[in-house]
Amino acid sequence: MQPYQTIPKIDAHIHYNFNRTSLLDQAQEDDFSFITINTDVPFFPSINEQQLIAQHQEKAFPDLMCHIATFSVVNWEDDHWQEHTIKALQQEIDGGAVGVKVWKNIGMDLTDQNGQMVMINDPRFDPILNFLEENNIPVLGHLGEPKNCWLPVEQMTVTQDKDYFSEHPEYHMHLHPEYPSYEDQINARDHMLEKHPDLRFVGAHLASLEWDVDEVAKRLDKFPNLAVDLAERICHLQYQAVTDHQKVLDFMVNYQDRIIYGTDVIDDGTMSDQELRNHIHALWLAHWEFFTTSKTLTAAEVPVSFKGLKLPQEIIEKIYYKNALKWYSL
């Protein structure tokens, strides 16, 4: 294996929400580049602000940064919403966006005029998905949440989920049975892919099937235009490696062309420049050890130690670099 700094790498899932260069400065030292993901999150800057930040950094660092666009679902039932959304997305693609993000507010927050939750397979999204499919524009989809979200805290598998949903019960779906189930979320996403077989789709966060790589594999086998990214779900691979190291290793080897590295790091300005640089550098190194060595490792999110996967260099190059180039046509 070549040294860490000598292999080009892409962190294909970050959120560059604060206009400074700290992440890019660290990326230059670690031989990384970024795909920043614009997302319709209520506590993020507006979609327009995210777009402006991305374009500013792309202009300053053209070899290190590109972005994925998104769209708002405000007034989504208006007669001209589909038309206006497609026009806006075309403008963003023409302006350099390498794909389009759909977020979990579709399926977990958006309601229709009758108060019913709206899922991604709702036919009113079909004109937009048809446009993306027909124009071979990649879609990154964060739909649903980790399965842990629907479990009691004591049954959750990784520490980060236990901590997060304990602190934010409003997002803990186990406490809100009136919302669609985990299975509802996955079924709606799968039905959407069935309706749009030529859509180039990257399932964010291991396609919300992080709890079992066998479940991810089933979807990759069924949908040939599906890939997955690892953002914020590597700890779930580590958790599974505790009891079935070989299964996780086989998954990474068998689907080496359809797995994309990412962290989901967010720069929202709350860390100092050096804190942010230290944070992402440490995260990159910890993940690198897991994927490239056979060491016995620990992670704050996983309750016990686990063994690294020691993937061959050609697979590392795909997961960290070549697959992002391929799936997002960079």
Side-chain angles (χ1 to χ4, degrees), residues 6 44 68 81 194 213 257:
T6 65
F44 275 17
I68 288 175
W81 177 81
E194 290 167 356
V213 293
D257 296 310

Side-chain angles (χ1 to χ4, degrees), residues 88-149:
L89 288 176
Q90 183 65 68
Q91 290 175 342
E92 295 201 37
I93 296 298
D94 292 342
V98 301
V100 172
K101 169 76 174 286
V102 294
W103 194 53
K104 66 183 180 183
N105 56 338
I106 301 172
M108 298 189 74
D109 180 65
L110 183 65
T111 56
D112 63 19
Q113 60 186 352
N114 298 317
Q116 298 298 308
M117 199 71 69
V118 178
M119 313 296 278
I120 191 61
N121 61 333
D122 190 293
R124 286 166 287 190
F125 290 114
D126 283 343
I128 294 167
L129 294 167
N130 288 339
F131 161 74
L132 297 170
E133 183 177 20
E134 291 163 5
N135 289 278
N136 200 31
I137 297 168
V139 175
L140 174 67
H142 176 178
L143 298 164
E145 280 285 68
K147 190 174 183 180
N148 280 340
C149 182

Side-chain angles (χ1 to χ4, degrees), residues 47 51 55 67 69-72 80-97 99-100 128 131-132 137:
I47 293 173
Q51 181 82 354
Q55 290 174 337
H67 77 282
T70 194
F71 58 90
S72 171
H80 299 290
W81 177 81
Q82 295 160 330
E83 176 188 348
H84 292 161
T85 297
I86 290 170
K87 181 178 179 180
L89 288 176
Q90 183 65 68
Q91 290 175 342
E92 295 201 37
I93 296 298
D94 292 342
V100 172
I128 294 167
F131 161 74
L132 297 170
I137 297 168

Side-chain angles (χ1 to χ4, degrees), residues 21-39:
T21 64
S22 307
L23 286 175
L24 288 157
D25 294 337
Q26 190 61 48
Q28 289 180 304
E29 289 192 13
D30 286 302
D31 205 1
F32 262 96
S33 51
F34 291 125
I35 302 176
T36 185
I37 315 296
N38 295 350
T39 309

